Amino acid sequence: MKRRAFMVMLVMLLSLLLFVMGMGFLGKRSAQYSGAISRMKAAQARALAQAGLEDARVKLEKDLFFPPPGDRDQTLFSYTEEVKDDAGAIVGYYTVTLDSRYRHAPDPPDESYPSVILVEAIGSLGADSQRPDAVVHLKMEVDLDDGKRNVAGRDPIPPSQPLRVTNYSEE
Amino acid sequence: MMTMRRGFSLAEVLVTCSLLALILGLLAELVSEYAAATNFGAAKDQATASLEFTIAQLRSDIEASVEILPPAGTQLKLRRVHFVPSSFIPPHATEVPAAPVPPIPLRFRPVTPPATWEPWPDTQLVEVTYKLEPSGLWRGVDSPSSSFPSGRSLLGAAVRGLQVESVSVQGLVSLRLSVEEAKGNVRSLNTYCCRMVDHP
């Protein structure tokens, strides 16, 4: 007698259909989750870059010898700091680069010269700095003028404001 | 005497078919509901992504702005310096070339600082306008110089509401955005952005 195993084929086809549908749904979910995670990582990297800019701003305000003078011809000063969470695990890094090529300190001081420093902060999320999860660049121009200078005919800045951000940009 | 079975009895077939139909029916309903939930989640994700992109652009413009013009309801107008992407040197820097010293890398060459420094030259300032239209939120750039691109682009197609309010003269702006997540499902989001540039 010849038996036809049509039920086995039917069950297998049904299983295949369910498997394909399940994989499809899982794939869709996976894409949604990865999208949400990447947005969260970008926000964290941005916060790291902001921390770098703020760190540089405070150092510029408080430290007269920041960035360190170094060689006379050196115009770039860069440093990297790691950021840890409460448990001591590395969250990420920020790298700050200060470009002093437009900073001018004539002797004797001349108020008509600008004293601008360009600051760039790169926030890198993740413990591995070589392969970060997300990277954000922030830039700002800082005028270190003591407030006595009059910029292009505008009102002078109050002396209580030792540092001001003249431009700010995010890449 | 041996009985030869050639198939199922009518009762067996009926029970099997009934069970199969029941299982398939339940499965179809589950799949249908799951698909609807997934589609709703995808629509929400898309709307959230659109909203985040819109807010990121708004925040970037507000932070970099040198002047925020008085907001008028569903419109935001500001002026900012146009930066060249991936360029550390701002466009308004009038760099004096250093004396040629070939062996020293370019980045270590001493540069004579410019005698004048105008952080916000009129020729480099662009006017950015955010305007809400039925098709979504549009971002327009009006540039005084031909070297910078002027034009409009649709920023967030899912954005259905924009309310701008100036909170302080230092440049703190309150933003209220509404986004359509799904058909008839609108979500609102309130946030604050602050101008980072110290403009007199």
Side-chain angles (χ1 to χ4, degrees), chain B residues 96-107:
Chain B
V96 179
V101 189
I104 305 175
L106 181 65
R107 63 201 181 96

Side-chain angles (χ1 to χ4, degrees), chain A residues 118-164:
Chain A
L118 310 180
V119 186
E120 183 186 39
I122 302 171
S124 310
L125 185 72
D128 187 358
S129 59
Q130 300 301 313
R131 296 173 61 189
D133 294 332
V135 178
V136 168
H137 292 240
L138 291 176
K139 297 186 291 189
M140 70 175 179
E141 287 174 22
V142 177
D143 191 346
L144 292 176
D145 201 75
D146 60 0
K148 293 174 184 169
R149 186 166 59 84
N150 192 326
V151 180
R154 290 193 173 89
D155 293 334
I157 307 301
S160 60
Q161 193 175 345
L163 178 150
R164 65 181 176 139

Side-chain angles (χ1 to χ4, degrees), chain A residues 28 39 46 139 152 165-166, chain B residues 52 63 87 118 120 198:
Chain A
K28 212 170 176 182
R39 290 198 288 272
R46 190 173 188 282
K139 297 186 291 189
V165 179
T166 55
Chain B
E52 282 186 357
E63 284 179 346
S87 166
E118 171 50 61
W120 314 292
D198 299 319

Side-chain angles (χ1 to χ4, degrees), chain B residues 2 6-8 24 29 34 39 42 47 52 61 74 113 119 121 160-161 163 186:
Chain B
M2 201 177 76
R6 284 179 172 267
F8 300 102
L24 284 178
E29 195 178 331
Y34 190 75
N39 287 338
E52 282 186 357
D61 279 333
T74 58
R160 291 289 171 266
Q163 197 66 39
V186 176

Side-chain angles (χ1 to χ4, degrees), chain A residues 54-68:
Chain A
E54 188 62 13
D55 182 78
R57 192 188 65 79
V58 172
K59 282 175 177 164
L60 284 168
E61 265 191 358
K62 304 290 182 191
D63 191 348
L64 288 173
F65 299 102
F66 183 81

Side-chain angles (χ1 to χ4, degrees), chain B residues 5-183:
Chain B
R5 297 198 60 176
R6 284 179 172 267
F8 300 102
S9 68
L10 182 61
E12 284 174 334
V13 172
L14 280 175
V15 168
T16 308
C17 287
S18 308
L19 281 175
L20 194 64
L22 185 70
I23 291 169
L24 284 178
L26 285 172
L27 200 66
E29 195 178 331
L30 277 175
V31 167
S32 166
E33 285 180 8
Y34 190 75
T38 308
N39 287 338
F40 183 71
K44 277 183 80 166
D45 270 10
Q46 205 173 351
T48 307
S50 168
L51 190 62
E52 282 186 357
F53 178 72
T54 305
I55 287 177
Q57 186 66 60
L58 270 163
R59 184 185 58 213
S60 173
D61 279 333
I62 289 172
E63 284 179 346
S65 66
V66 296
E67 187 181 8
I68 298 172
L69 303 171
T74 58
Q75 186 171 307
L76 172 68
K77 204 177 262 193
L78 53 87
R79 292 169 77 215
R80 64 168 291 181
V81 170
H82 175 86
F83 274 86
V84 180
S86 304
S87 166
F88 192 67
I89 301 171
H92 48 266
T94 50
E95 189 175 357
V96 179
V101 189
I104 305 175
L106 181 65
R107 63 201 181 96
F108 290 128
R109 282 186 205 166
V111 176
T112 307
T116 58
W117 181 275
E118 171 50 61
W120 314 292
D122 290 335
T123 52
Q124 311 258 352
L125 282 174
V126 296
E127 194 171 280
V128 180
T129 307
Y130 287 89
K131 195 174 182 185
L132 188 67
E133 293 183 6
S135 54
L137 186 65
W138 287 78
R139 178 180 184 267
V141 178
D142 189 13
S143 169
S145 170
S146 57
S147 56
F148 305 134
S150 289
R152 295 174 81 225
S153 58
L154 182 61
L155 197 60
V159 178
R160 291 289 171 266
L162 171 71
Q163 197 66 39
V164 185
E165 202 177 317
S166 179
V167 177
S168 72
V169 289
Q170 281 80 24
L172 185 63
V173 175
S174 162
L175 293 171
R176 185 183 172 86
L177 283 160
S178 301
V179 63
E180 190 173 21
E181 289 180 337
K183 205 84 174 170

